[in-house]
Amino acid sequence: MDDTLLGATTAPPSAPAAGVGEMFKATRDFITDTVKSNVIEVTDPDTRITVLAIVGAGGDIRPVAADFFDVARDHPRFRRGSAAMTSLDSFIAHVNRFGDQDSAVFADDRREAPKLTAVLDYHEADADGEHGLYRHGKHRTTFAFPLSDEWKAWTKANGAVMTMGQFALFLEDRIGDIAIAGDEFPDDVLRFVNVNGGTESIADFATLVELSRGLKVYEQANVEEATNLASGEGHIRFSLEHETRNRTGGTIKVPTMFFIAIPIFNKGPFYRIGARLRYRKTAEGVKFWFDLYRADRSFDHAFAEAVARVDAETPASVFFGSPEA
């Protein structure tokens, strides 16, 4: 091995170039003096409200958001947030606790998603030509009306054409909703009853149970005849062919209408609603459906009753529509 290699030692690192440290310090001082921001106060000439703002290196002014200091406050500057109630009673109680005479309740009467929204800190009303105090409108209470399972089931199936088997199953599932028609009807419902054959043509619970069972018996049978009599009643005659080729069958009497009693909203009052029963013979067999009579009126009445309670039991003003975003 070369003796010169054995005696070699590692050379010390080279010293920094002269003036580099001074250059770094000068660069840091320049950036600090040039880029640093200043905090100033800015006053609104109209309201005389003073806020803090930051002046950037380029002269641009950025206001300091008021909520920047929220973590240091003992109390919030104003109420905010939206509470969601699950009952009308709780909605009314919440409005009474936090609302006042200037609060506003907005009633959204869309049948697929009815809802109440209370803006508890709504703008004060104008008086004597003067604008009332503007308020934040950030404190709210909502109540989304829970549509009942019965209402959803019947309105979903309303007007839907079904096979005999499908209609029989639907009747079995909803047979508890069938109502006694009663003897007294509002004028419009009485006209509906008279047009469809009178009170004698209204099916009761037992009649619809019998109809459901008959449809299941003859689901696979051939339809010989489907007739509507002058009285408004319908008869469907079926035939069955057995292995012996002997033909047997039966006749089903179909009522023209029936009534249901269901709540519109969950845990709400029950409404009696008429339904016209329809059917027709097709190449695939007999098809059934029903048409609810003016179910929209029942919904509108139930919604109006709830809104009237809010109007009577709270200090808030009630409007139909939606609040400002």
Side-chain angles (χ1 to χ4, degrees), residues 88 91-92 105-109 114-117 143 145 265 299-314 316-321:
L88 184 61
F91 177 85
I92 291 173
V105 173
F106 293 85
D108 186 345
D109 57 356
K115 184 179 181 180
L116 297 177
T117 300
F143 173 59
F145 285 83
F265 305 126
F299 174 93
D300 293 344
H301 186 274
F303 189 80
E305 289 281 295
V307 172
R309 275 197 62 195
V310 174
D311 194 28
E313 299 177 25
T314 71
S317 300
V318 176
F319 306 92
F320 279 80

Side-chain angles (χ1 to χ4, degrees), residues 110-152:
R110 290 176 298 169
R111 295 188 181 95
E112 66 277 9
K115 184 179 181 180
L116 297 177
T117 300
V119 183
L120 303 168
D121 55 342
Y122 201 61
H123 308 304
E124 292 183 357
D126 295 347
D128 298 327
E130 296 292 330
H131 289 298
L133 180 67
Y134 303 144
R135 301 200 288 183
H136 291 283
K138 298 294 186 182
H139 191 207
R140 304 188 175 197
T141 308
T142 64
F143 173 59
F145 285 83
L147 298 172
S148 72
D149 292 338
E150 296 91 338
W151 171 262
K152 289 186 287 188

Side-chain angles (χ1 to χ4, degrees), residues 47-82:
T47 63
R48 309 308 300 173
I49 294 176
T50 299
V51 298
L52 296 177
I54 298 175
V55 181
D60 58 309
I61 299 177
R62 292 169 293 150
V64 177
D67 58 5
F68 180 82
F69 301 98
D70 282 353
V71 293
R73 301 181 193 277
D74 291 332
H75 304 285
R77 290 178 298 124
F78 57 89
R79 290 176 178 145
R80 70 176 74 190
S82 182

Side-chain angles (χ1 to χ4, degrees), residues 8-236:
T9 59
T10 304
S14 58
V20 171
E22 289 78 4
M23 182 184 70
F24 283 154
K25 181 178 183 301
T27 301
R28 182 192 63 195
D29 294 341
F30 172 79
I31 293 174
T32 301
D33 294 338
T34 305
V35 179
K36 71 178 181 180
S37 300
N38 295 316
V39 178
I40 63 172
E41 292 184 346
V42 181
T43 301
D44 183 353
D46 184 19
T47 63
R48 309 308 300 173
I49 294 176
T50 299
V51 298
L52 296 177
I54 298 175
V55 181
D60 58 309
I61 299 177
R62 292 169 293 150
V64 177
D67 58 5
F68 180 82
F69 301 98
D70 282 353
V71 293
R73 301 181 193 277
D74 291 332
H75 304 285
R77 290 178 298 124
F78 57 89
R79 290 176 178 145
R80 70 176 74 190
S82 182
M85 301 295 110
T86 58
S87 76
L88 184 61
D89 289 339
S90 292
F91 177 85
I92 291 173
H94 201 260
V95 172
N96 284 330
R97 176 169 179 172
F98 294 106
D100 54 36
Q101 69 277 4
D102 290 303
S103 299
V105 173
F106 293 85
D108 186 345
D109 57 356
R110 290 176 298 169
R111 295 188 181 95
E112 66 277 9
K115 184 179 181 180
L116 297 177
T117 300
V119 183
L120 303 168
D121 55 342
Y122 201 61
H123 308 304
E124 292 183 357
D126 295 347
D128 298 327
E130 296 292 330
H131 289 298
L133 180 67
Y134 303 144
R135 301 200 288 183
H136 291 283
K138 298 294 186 182
H139 191 207
R140 304 188 175 197
T141 308
T142 64
F143 173 59
F145 285 83
L147 298 172
S148 72
D149 292 338
E150 296 91 338
W151 171 262
K152 289 186 287 188
W154 283 98
T155 54
K156 180 180 179 180
N158 186 34
V161 178
M162 294 176 263
T163 65
M164 290 174 54
Q166 290 170 338
F167 188 67
L169 288 175
F170 179 82
L171 284 181
E172 283 190 351
D173 290 341
R174 309 306 318 177
I175 202 68
D177 301 332
I178 305 303
I180 298 174
D183 300 325
E184 297 183 1
F185 302 99
D187 290 342
D188 61 324
V189 178
L190 182 59
R191 289 193 294 270
F192 164 77
V193 171
N194 291 335
V195 166
N196 288 281
T199 55
E200 301 80 10
S201 299
I202 300 175
D204 56 13
F205 177 89
T207 302
L208 288 180
V209 169
E210 183 180 353
L211 174 63
S212 171
R213 291 173 177 172
L215 293 179
K216 292 180 70 174
V217 168
Y218 294 109
E219 183 178 3
Q220 305 300 324
N222 298 318
V223 180
E224 284 193 339
E225 186 178 3
T227 60
N228 285 310
L229 305 181
S231 63
E233 297 174 344
H235 287 79
I236 305 175

